[in-house]
Amino acid sequence: MRADLDIIQEWIPHGSRVLDLGCGSGELLEYLQQHKAVQGYGLEIDPDNIAECVGKGLNVIEQNLDLGLANFATNSFDVVVMTQALQAVHYPDKILEEMLRVGRECIITFPNFGHWRCRWYLSTKGRMPVSEFLPYTWYNTPNIHFCTFRDFEALCHRSQLKIIERLAVDRRHRDGKLANLWPNLLGEIGIYRVTR
Amino acid sequence: MPSELPADSVGLVSPQTAHFDQPLMLACGRELPAYDLVYETYGQLNSARSNAVLICHALSGHHHAAGYHSLDERKPGWWDSAIGPGKPIDTNKFFVVCLNNIGGCNGSTGPTSINPATGKLYGGDFPVLNVIDWVHSQARLADLLGIDVWAAVIGGSLGGMQAMQWSITYPERLQHAVVIASAPKLSAQNIAFNEVARQAILSDPDYHGGQFYSHDTIPKRGLMLARMVGHITYLSDAAMGSKFGRELKTDKLNYDFHSVEFQVESYLRYQGEEFSGRFDANTYVLMTKALDYYDPAAAYEDNLSQALAQAKADFLVVSFTTDWRFSPARSREIVDALLDAKKNVSYLEVDAPQGHDAFLMPIPRYFTALRGYLNRIEL
């Protein structure tokens, strides 16, 4: 399992109700359903991902996150998860608010644009970073709202959200001691557990 | 006519008739003392009797959903693209049952049957039906076939309403409900279209209060008009545009009212004409009324989530982007109620140009998901 997903599953209590925003092919939901008796729902817009989730027997709803979560009742989920999608939505601040209306707690992961490799690329080449991890060109990318650890925390602060846990990982290794020492520079992916 | 049957066809099939002597109490308060249901089955019922799938038909549908009645038949059953060996509703896995609903005109008891109380054809006196009546009668058929629990109940449009009603009325008797291009109740606009269709029939002088059989005539003009109106609502603006545009049948405008000038006029007239020759006017008004009356939330303080909270089934809900008869927003109402009721549900909004008719088309994305959903059902 993807390093960030492996950490997330540990944070999700057995038997809870989970909403996964941008659930992809359902990797996390499938694990949670099989190992944690979770009633999970995924929201997704990619047809192939939706078909894959349906074939796996997962609950998947075709829904565009940019249109909000108005159809979900307040406090109807224990945990709302959004992995690697924050940077791709039109209104990251609004979706964050919505996630914490619908769920008691939310777990968010995003690529850290403050990572040294991004900084190095930008400062030496003077161009928007393109890497194996973020392979898109600036004019043709689903990622329209990049942020750093510090940016995200500033948003949480402004919205008066409590950060319960924070981890920095890279794609392959789930515990980077160095990364957690200096996340904004050395963390590739930020994983946050947030509540009201 | 196929020169030989395709390998993925259920092949030659013959309808069967089940007779029921136990009276059926109807939602309107009247009862059917006895009735027949005509049905077809495809595939084999397994020894555990756990692989049965019920297909519910829509407004003008019937029991002949797949395969051919004979090698001379021009077209296979109405949902042949979806039902067969290796198809999304795979007859290698499932035992598929499709019946003609009560009130129909394809062999099941309906307006063209004899009313035992009078010894005459029911005609316009056939009891007005509600979707729940069909569900009760389908449950009796399930009893007869030895099916305690359906692996899935599947339907599009009015058929989807039956699938939903099944999950509410007989929650223990189905594992999955597949609700396609449907709605939790009709909108005022939907009812308005149905009313135009009904008035076209009822006001046709040949209708004779529904007893036209004894006058040796049919309300052909009325039925034709009703179908023409209906057909407009089945197609999207774009689908009609690309199919006909403003294309003319004649090389110039005639400046009269009787010529068939635009291609779309010709198409609608053909559809109406063809339909009026094969469908019963009384069945048509009954079916539209059942649509209008459908409102499962009504029995639960108008709360759809409360209605669907009865369900034990898992759901697959599918809508089509250009369907304006039962738009994606209507399917979303069903999905939201199911979410609210904490039911298992998946939802697809399939991008398709065909309008409401899309539910009968083998659209790859739609069929892939349907296949995937049904494949993973454990029997």
Side-chain angles (χ1 to χ4, degrees), chain B residues 73-370:
Chain B
E73 201 171 34
R74 198 171 53 86
K75 281 197 292 185
W78 57 269
W79 214 14
D80 192 78
S81 58
I83 305 166
K87 289 181 183 173
I89 304 168
D90 189 347
T91 49
N92 290 329
K93 175 174 181 174
F94 294 111
F95 174 65
V96 180
V97 179
C98 185
L99 76 161
N100 183 216
N101 279 326
I102 283 172
C105 53
N106 294 85
S108 292
T109 296
T112 52
S113 310
I114 289 170
N115 179 353
T118 62
K120 292 182 184 145
L121 300 181
Y122 275 107
D125 189 40
F126 197 84
V128 175
L129 295 165
N130 194 300
V131 167
I132 201 167
D133 299 326
W134 291 330
V135 170
H136 287 314
S137 66
Q138 290 159 1
R140 297 250 182 105
L141 180 63
D143 295 341
L144 184 91
L145 296 172
I147 297 158
D148 292 334
V149 181
W150 297 102
V153 178
I154 304 174
S157 194
L158 178 56
M161 294 172 177
Q162 293 160 57
M164 246 183 294
Q165 190 66 55
W166 258 98
S167 75
I168 297 167
T169 307
Y170 293 105
E172 316 283 349
R173 298 197 67 176
L174 67 159
Q175 289 193 310
H176 296 270
V178 179
V179 180
I180 305 162
S182 195
K185 62 183 174 197
L186 261 59
S187 67
Q189 189 193 46
N190 293 148
I191 296 172
F193 275 115
N194 281 346
E195 174 60 2
V196 172
R198 274 192 301 272
Q199 284 306 322
I201 292 169
L202 301 178
S203 63
D204 185 325
D206 286 333
Y207 183 65
H208 298 287
Q211 308 305 8
F212 50 88
Y213 318 110
S214 56
H215 291 79
D216 219 16
T217 180
I218 58 164
K220 188 179 161 75
R221 280 164 296 178
L223 194 51
M224 209 176 134
L225 271 178
R227 184 60 167 181
M228 286 165 80
V229 169
H231 220 91
I232 296 169
T233 69
Y234 302 151
L235 298 180
S236 67
D237 189 16
M240 270 201 175
S242 67
K243 210 165 174 176
F244 311 109
R246 292 179 51 84
E247 217 175 287
L248 295 174
K249 275 193 83 71
T250 48
D251 33 352
K252 59 174 177 49
L253 298 176
N254 290 313
Y255 288 91
D256 67 29
F257 298 119
H258 60 267
S259 311
V260 181
E261 299 181 294
F262 290 95
Q263 284 290 1
V264 66
E265 294 175 316
S266 159
Y267 170 79
L268 284 178
R269 285 190 200 200
Y270 171 79
Q271 290 293 335
E273 184 92 24
E274 186 268 337
F275 188 71
S276 67
R278 70 174 163 92
F279 208 79
D280 179 70
N282 283 314
T283 291
Y284 201 88
V285 292
L286 278 173
M287 295 285 164
T288 59
K289 245 329 180 211
L291 272 164
D292 291 1
Y293 283 175
Y294 183 68
D295 184 7
Y300 297 88
E301 297 166 338
D302 288 325
N303 184 332
L304 186 62
S305 349
Q306 224 173 301
L308 287 166
Q310 315 306 313
K312 295 212 159 88
D314 293 349
F315 289 78
L316 174 66
V317 180
V318 182
S319 72
F320 301 93
T321 47
T322 56
D323 182 353
W324 59 281
R325 184 181 175 96
F326 295 141
S327 70
R330 307 309 313 281
S331 284
R332 290 305 306 245
E333 291 174 37
I334 299 167
V335 172
D336 290 349
L338 288 167
L339 285 170
D340 197 36
K342 299 185 165 43
K343 301 299 167 191
N344 285 322
V345 53
S346 283
Y347 170 63
L348 261 83
E349 196 170 304
V350 177
D351 194 14
Q354 297 94 337
H356 188 58
D357 262 359
F359 86 89
L360 291 166
M361 315 268 176
I363 297 161
R365 211 199 132 192
Y366 162 39
F367 271 27
T368 302
L370 185 60

Side-chain angles (χ1 to χ4, degrees), chain A residues 17 39-41 45-48 50-51 53-64 71-73 76-77, chain B residues 314-316 332 335-336 338-351 365 368-370 372-373 376:
Chain A
R17 241 169 96 78
Q39 189 185 31
Y41 297 86
I45 48 170
D46 178 76
D48 294 334
I50 292 170
C53 290
V54 167
K56 285 176 181 170
L58 302 170
N59 293 318
V60 60
I61 311 285
E62 182 157 349
Q63 180 163 342
N64 185 344
N71 53 319
F72 291 94
S76 52
F77 284 88
Chain B
D314 293 349
F315 289 78
L316 174 66
R332 290 305 306 245
V335 172
D336 290 349
L338 288 167
L339 285 170
D340 197 36
K342 299 185 165 43
K343 301 299 167 191
N344 285 322
V345 53
S346 283
Y347 170 63
L348 261 83
E349 196 170 304
V350 177
D351 194 14
R365 211 199 132 192
T368 302
L370 185 60
Y373 187 85
R376 59 97 191 195

Side-chain angles (χ1 to χ4, degrees), chain A residues 3-65:
Chain A
D4 56 336
L5 301 184
D6 191 40
I7 290 168
I8 291 170
Q9 61 84 12
E10 285 174 19
W11 289 353
I12 292 174
H14 195 269
S16 51
R17 241 169 96 78
V18 176
L19 181 63
D20 186 353
L21 310 185
C23 65
S25 62
E27 199 181 355
L28 178 67
L29 284 175
E30 191 180 24
Y31 182 89
L32 293 173
Q33 193 165 297
Q34 283 170 4
H35 300 275
K36 294 219 153 177
V38 151
Q39 189 185 31
Y41 297 86
L43 304 189
E44 184 51 56
I45 48 170
D46 178 76
D48 294 334
N49 280 337
I50 292 170
E52 205 172 329
C53 290
V54 167
K56 285 176 181 170
L58 302 170
N59 293 318
V60 60
I61 311 285
E62 182 157 349
Q63 180 163 342
N64 185 344
L65 300 181

